[in-house]
Amino acid sequence: MRKVILYSLLLVLGLGLSQALPHLGAGVHEPLRHVIRLLTMVGLAFIMIHVGLEFELDKNNLRRYGWDYVVAATAAAFPWLLATLYFVFVLAPPEQWGEAQLWKEGLLQGRFASPTSAGVLFSMLAAAGLGASWVFRKARVLAIFDDLDTILLMIPLQMVLVGFRWQLLAVVASMAVMLWAAWRYLHQWRMPHRWPWVLGYATALALASELLFLASGWMDPTSPIHFEVLLPAFVLGCVMRQPAHAHDNDAEEGQEPGLGDPPEQRAATVVSACFMVLVGLSMPALGGLLAAAGTQVQEGGGSSVSWGGVALHVLVVTLLINLGKMFPAFCYRREASRRERLALAIALFPRGEVGAGVLVISLGYGIGGMSTVVAMLALALNLLLTGVFIVAVKRLISRTRGTPPLQATTSRERPPRLSGRFAGGATASAGAGGRE
């Protein structure tokens, strides 16, 4: 667990540094913030290319993936709706509950609670030695669908705020083309896959995403195109032909799945460690928002902000958004034990760069106030708890039917369970995309 502890400390370090950056002055802070965002995208793209490279798709059993998408969509929707309802009915005064603008802003603010941080999740589970487990394979599919669903739902939310924009439809069309390419050319393209090449691909994707954002913002400042590198990086990994490397060490603590070569392992570890710091650094500074929230409350005739009250709101929202992720624990009864399903749900708790990106978009639309402050602090608290979540996942898996730590029990090793109402026709095979 040393690597998990290291990654957790790096997350905390980055989070602390993010709050100190504004004190460098606007002339330094603003350019540095753009550099941090670019480097974060490079790290995420590097991780997701490897995820796509190891991804397996059973084209003869598409029903499984349809159910996986349903599970991921609900695991993304429940935290979003719970956070939105809390922001509207608890943090807003009753006389504003019927205002359309409040609901528009609340729906966008609440979206921060939806996306699981795929990059943080995969790095942490691999560091804990869970790369060969059913939980890792299933979480890999659900987290990707989770983030994809978040990106798709952001489009109508932005249209509600700024009106119809052709740029948003272009994003949907591009995503559809990339998903088709991943399906059509799965692991067919011969491309270099050593870590320097993968880092080069990741850098190119991040630069392309940033240039698209800047160019679209110059053309229409009200609706710049936020095209996350997560999907194109994953698709690139999917179309690359897989190398013939062993998976014997996938269950070893600290080993990245599928990367048996020590230099590749070291490179993946360094990139993941840097990514953890960058995710923490990606958090917006809270100082100005806290002061602005206090000013808004006082101007509205209320008393000054109570920090005890803010802390209570943060704890409640954190609890709600994580409870919303528990739906997968009631699914996959034919595939896994109760402990494995609970571990899967907890594995989806980590939030990170995607949720922070949603909050940055909210700030870009001028949305602030106490709800934004609570949302950001809840996201920060979830970041701090990431290591705790991964430790809980590992302990649950290690206790499954007396199996030794780091080894997951598959449905082939136990008598089949009766199907529950949430089984959704899932098969008795291991998680989607995993090797048996």
Side-chain angles (χ1 to χ4, degrees):
M1 295 297 289
R2 288 180 296 178
K3 190 176 284 189
V4 173
I5 295 173
L6 173 62
Y7 285 174
S8 300
L9 292 176
L10 291 175
L11 275 171
V12 175
L13 174 63
L15 188 59
L17 291 176
S18 70
Q19 305 308 303
L21 291 181
H23 298 290
L24 299 176
V28 177
H29 177 231
E30 288 302 318
L32 186 58
R33 185 169 60 85
H34 290 293
V35 172
I36 290 171
R37 181 174 65 181
L38 181 62
L39 292 177
T40 304
M41 289 192 293
V42 172
L44 177 61
F46 184 93
I47 294 170
M48 293 308 300
I49 289 173
H50 279 127
V51 171
L53 189 61
E54 296 304 316
F55 187 75
E56 297 286 354
L57 181 67
D58 183 4
K59 294 185 178 181
N60 296 320
N61 192 10
L62 294 183
R63 183 180 180 183
R64 175 198 303 172
Y65 302 101
W67 176 242
D68 286 340
Y69 187 84
V70 171
V71 174
T74 54
F78 291 162
W80 170 42
L81 295 176
L82 289 173
T84 299
L85 292 174
Y86 192 87
F87 293 158
V88 171
F89 291 115
V90 177
L91 295 182
E95 58 270 16
Q96 296 181 6
W97 289 352
E99 296 181 4
Q101 186 63 24
L102 175 65
W103 281 95
K104 293 177 183 178
E105 295 180 357
L107 286 169
L108 182 58
Q109 288 172 310
R111 200 64 188 156
F112 91 95
S114 303
T116 296
S117 176
V120 172
L121 172 63
F122 300 147
S123 296
M124 282 290 198
L125 289 179
L130 302 177
S133 66
W134 175 87
V135 171
F136 179 89
R137 296 193 298 268
K138 185 62 71 175
R140 176 173 56 187
V141 176
L142 295 185
I144 292 169
F145 283 158
D146 184 313
D147 288 342
L148 178 62
D149 184 72
T150 297
I151 296 170
L152 287 173
L153 275 178
M154 284 295 295
I155 292 172
L157 289 176
Q158 289 175 277
M159 286 185 176
V160 168
L161 286 171
V162 301
F164 176 82
R165 293 290 188 275
W166 66 267
Q167 299 96 318
L168 300 177
L169 293 182
V171 171
V172 176
S174 300
M175 293 171 66
V177 170
M178 285 187 288
L179 291 173
W180 173 83
W183 163 267
R184 174 64 178 81
Y185 301 104
L186 183 67
H187 301 312
Q188 294 185 17
W189 294 0
R190 290 184 178 273
M191 299 176 64
H193 52 75
R194 304 294 292 181
W195 74 262
W197 285 94
V198 175
L199 185 60
Y201 303 148
T203 303
L205 289 173
L207 287 174
S209 176
E210 184 68 8
L211 289 175
L212 179 63
F213 173 76
L214 295 175
S216 61
W218 176 75
M219 295 172 59
D220 185 359
T222 63
S223 187
I225 298 177
H226 295 270
F227 202 95
E228 299 292 341
V229 298
L230 183 145
L231 181 60
F234 173 71
V235 169
L236 177 59
C238 284
V239 300
M240 293 170 63
R241 181 165 293 186
Q242 294 176 317
H245 43 51
H247 287 260
D248 294 339
N249 63 345
D250 284 0
E252 294 181 14
E253 188 168 311
Q255 298 295 312
E256 297 286 339
L259 300 180
D261 194 341
E264 295 292 313
Q265 290 286 346
R266 287 194 294 269
T269 297
V270 170
V271 172
S272 295
C274 294
F275 179 71
M276 295 299 165
V277 178
L278 291 167
V279 169
L281 283 169
S282 299
M283 283 293 296
L286 295 169
L289 288 174
L290 292 171
T295 301
Q296 290 180 5
V297 170
Q298 290 178 344
E299 288 178 351
S303 58
S304 60
V305 175
S306 167
W307 299 119
V310 172
L312 179 60
H313 290 312
V314 170
L315 290 175
V316 174
V317 170
T318 302
L319 178 63
L320 289 175
I321 64 178
N322 286 332
L323 284 177
K325 287 286 187 183
M326 293 299 295
F327 182 74
F330 302 97
C331 310
Y332 307 115
R333 295 187 179 184
R334 290 181 177 179
E335 296 187 35
S337 67
R338 177 177 57 85
R339 288 184 179 273
E340 288 173 311
R341 290 183 279 117
L342 179 58
L344 174 63
I346 297 175
L348 299 178
F349 283 4
R351 310 303 204 276
E353 71 289 341
V354 180
V358 173
L359 291 177
V360 169
I361 292 174
S362 300
L363 293 174
Y365 287 122
I367 301 174
M370 185 58 67
S371 295
T372 300
V373 172
V374 171
M376 286 189 176
L377 288 173
L379 181 60
L381 179 58
N382 240 62
L383 272 176
L384 294 174
L385 293 174
T386 299
V388 177
F389 299 149
I390 300 303
V391 170
V393 170
K394 183 173 181 178
R395 290 187 175 180
L396 283 168
I397 293 177
S398 66
R399 294 178 181 176
T400 300
R401 288 188 171 271
T403 56
L406 311 180
Q407 294 182 357
T409 304
T410 66
S411 57
R412 292 183 179 180
E413 300 170 51
R414 64 170 71 91
R417 294 175 173 269
L418 295 177
S419 173
R421 62 179 297 186
F422 298 112
T427 65
S429 61
R435 289 180 169 85
E436 293 295 331

